[in-house]
Amino acid sequence: AGSGIQPKSEDSIKAAKASSASSLSKALKSGTALSHKAAENVSFVRNFIKGKIRLDLYKLLIRDLYFVYCTLEEELDKHAHGSQFQSLHLPTQLARKEALRKDMRYFYGENWENNVDMHPSAATKDYLDRIRDCGNNNPLLLLAHAYTRYLGDLSGGRVLQRVAQKALQLPPDGEGLRFYEFENITEEEGGPKAFKKRYRTKLDNLNLSISEIRMLVGEANVAFSLNMRMFEELDVASGEDGASVRPLEEALAYYDRAVTGGIDGNKNEKCPFGFTGGKNPHKKNTKINDPPTFEKKQVPKQDKKERCPWPFIFFHDPATGMRDYQTWAVLCAVCCWMYGSFLAKSDV
């Protein structure tokens, strides 16, 4: 009887994965959720949100973002026309280079471009190299970097603008904060919220294969991690105890990990989610020149000590996660709560 049920369960899981993967916007949102949360927990970002901002560090951030957007927008201008993602190249609404030039002028003076010390930090240079690498070898991956930066700027821009203005005591007319202003995304057209909705619709309308969607999700995680490295660099510059910048290889490994989902037999590798005690259930390869193939293969059954613990197992092996007792304990608790709520309302 057991052998008759198992194939149906596997088919259901495959169907669910295919359905989720067919929506690029949903795949990007769910596939980068962990990285998004991790980025928000870097000390510099946490302090920024709380209004604890040092002017010297903020100036370094603006400098590095200027170099990031110069490179990203140069590569997008070069490769977007006639590409699969041409409909998502919207420089009139999204481009940040000119806005950042104004902020650079405010913080560094009129002759900032002639400053010999005006160059990207080490972590920022790694970020720029990755963007150029995408442009040279697989321009579609530039979309992942555009998605990560532009939608992030739109989502929290106005809040961060107010926080920075108050914390740094900047002029009320917006001087020094032009980066957060999207003048061509107007309230008459629904503002940032409506624009992001239209952007996600365009993402879902792209004619992409499952493997291309996986590659974009992987590269979006790389983009998040490269941004985290810039923030971590600011933590180091601030003199924070224990601050360090994660290795570049760790950031780039997100790409291969997301698109392959394979199992590496190297027992010395660490689990990508930061847990130890067994094999890394992901194959590592940071090259983007050759898109990976996705052939059906038998995956060896892992020993319990050679896997991520619950609930992190859901990020790369949801089928196994559903077999864990913790999942069913949570589901039972939720059902009991719902039933209790129903009875309480019935008594009323």
Side-chain angles (χ1 to χ4, degrees):
S3 61
I5 295 174
Q6 186 63 28
K8 184 176 180 181
S9 176
E10 291 179 353
D11 290 342
S12 299
I13 292 170
K14 290 178 181 178
K17 287 182 177 180
S19 176
S20 174
S22 64
S23 170
L24 177 56
S25 65
K26 291 180 180 179
L28 284 168
K29 184 175 182 179
S30 62
T32 60
L34 189 64
S35 292
H36 194 168
K37 185 174 182 179
E40 291 177 342
N41 282 310
V42 177
S43 293
F44 175 82
V45 178
R46 288 203 315 268
N47 290 333
F48 195 123
I49 294 172
K50 294 177 183 177
K52 300 176 181 179
I53 309 171
R54 278 174 40 180
L55 179 59
D56 59 332
L57 298 180
Y58 186 76
K59 288 172 64 175
L60 292 176
L61 174 65
I62 292 299
R63 178 203 66 185
D64 289 338
L65 287 176
Y66 171 73
F67 287 111
V68 167
Y69 280 101
C70 281
T71 301
L72 176 59
E73 290 169 6
E74 178 183 347
E75 292 297 319
L76 287 171
D77 288 342
K78 189 187 304 181
H79 297 287
H81 181 69
S83 70
Q84 292 169 283
F85 61 95
Q86 181 175 342
S87 62
L88 286 149
H89 180 46
L90 305 166
T92 302
Q93 292 89 349
L94 295 175
R96 298 290 83 205
K97 177 182 175 181
E98 292 307 315
L100 282 162
R101 287 180 64 85
K102 295 176 183 178
D103 290 344
M104 292 288 284
R105 190 178 304 116
Y106 177 84
F107 288 114
Y108 290 99
E110 292 293 333
N111 296 319
W112 64 271
E113 290 180 276
N114 298 322
N115 188 335
V116 294
D117 296 324
M118 197 58 60
H119 53 76
S121 69
T124 305
K125 186 177 182 303
D126 290 334
Y127 194 173
L128 309 186
D129 289 343
R130 180 64 176 192
I131 292 172
R132 294 190 185 102
D133 192 28
C134 290
N136 291 333
N137 296 296
N138 191 348
L140 176 63
L141 297 181
L142 292 171
L143 178 59
H145 290 273
Y147 166 86
T148 302
R149 281 287 355 156
Y150 290 129
L151 261 64
D153 298 333
L154 278 171
S155 297
R158 292 182 178 180
V159 174
L160 295 178
Q161 182 182 33
R162 289 194 293 269
V163 171
Q165 185 178 23
K166 182 178 179 180
L168 299 174
Q169 298 182 342
L170 297 175
D173 61 359
E175 283 293 303
L177 298 166
R178 301 303 182 195
F179 168 66
Y180 302 104
E181 298 176 356
F182 290 81
E183 296 180 350
N184 294 318
I185 298 179
T186 63
E187 292 300 329
E188 289 77 10
E189 296 178 338
K193 185 176 180 179
F195 180 88
K196 288 187 293 181
K197 185 177 181 180
R198 293 193 295 270
Y199 191 95
R200 292 189 178 100
T201 298
K202 290 178 184 289
L203 285 172
D204 292 337
N205 288 337
L206 295 180
N207 185 22
L208 300 176
S209 66
I210 297 297
S211 63
E212 286 172 325
I213 290 176
R214 289 175 181 170
M215 284 190 284
L216 283 167
V217 172
E219 191 62 27
N221 278 290
V222 171
F224 267 109
S225 195
L226 292 174
N227 276 279
M228 281 188 274
R229 294 181 81 245
M230 290 200 310
F231 301 146
E232 290 165 345
E233 204 171 45
L234 294 174
D235 285 344
V236 173
S238 72
E240 180 174 329
D241 291 340
S244 64
V245 180
R246 69 191 61 210
L248 176 61
E249 292 75 17
E250 179 182 321
L252 301 184
Y254 278 95
Y255 171 80
D256 198 68
R257 188 152 63 236
V259 299
T260 61
I263 295 177
D264 196 314
N266 184 355
K267 295 183 179 180
N268 296 321
E269 284 191 272
K270 293 182 180 180
C271 168
F273 296 101
F275 299 98
T276 58
K279 290 187 287 189
N280 181 347
H282 310 278
K283 187 178 180 181
K284 296 184 73 174
N285 174 11
T286 59
K287 296 181 180 179
I288 65 173
N289 302 50
D290 301 315
T293 57
F294 300 94
E295 297 179 355
K296 185 175 181 181
K297 56 185 179 182
Q298 294 295 323
V299 179
K301 185 177 181 180
Q302 294 180 343
D303 185 84
K304 289 185 178 180
K305 294 182 179 180
E306 298 178 344
R307 46 157 285 179
C308 292
W310 189 90
F312 299 94
I313 188 69
F314 280 99
F315 289 104
H316 60 80
D317 192 358
T320 299
M322 286 302 297
R323 292 195 290 270
D324 287 343
Y325 76 89
Q326 295 98 323
T327 302
W328 294 101
V330 171
L331 289 175
C332 287
V334 171
C335 289
C336 290
W337 175 81
M338 292 175 66
Y339 183 64
S341 299
F342 173 76
L343 289 179
K345 291 180 179 179
S346 298
D347 292 339
V348 175

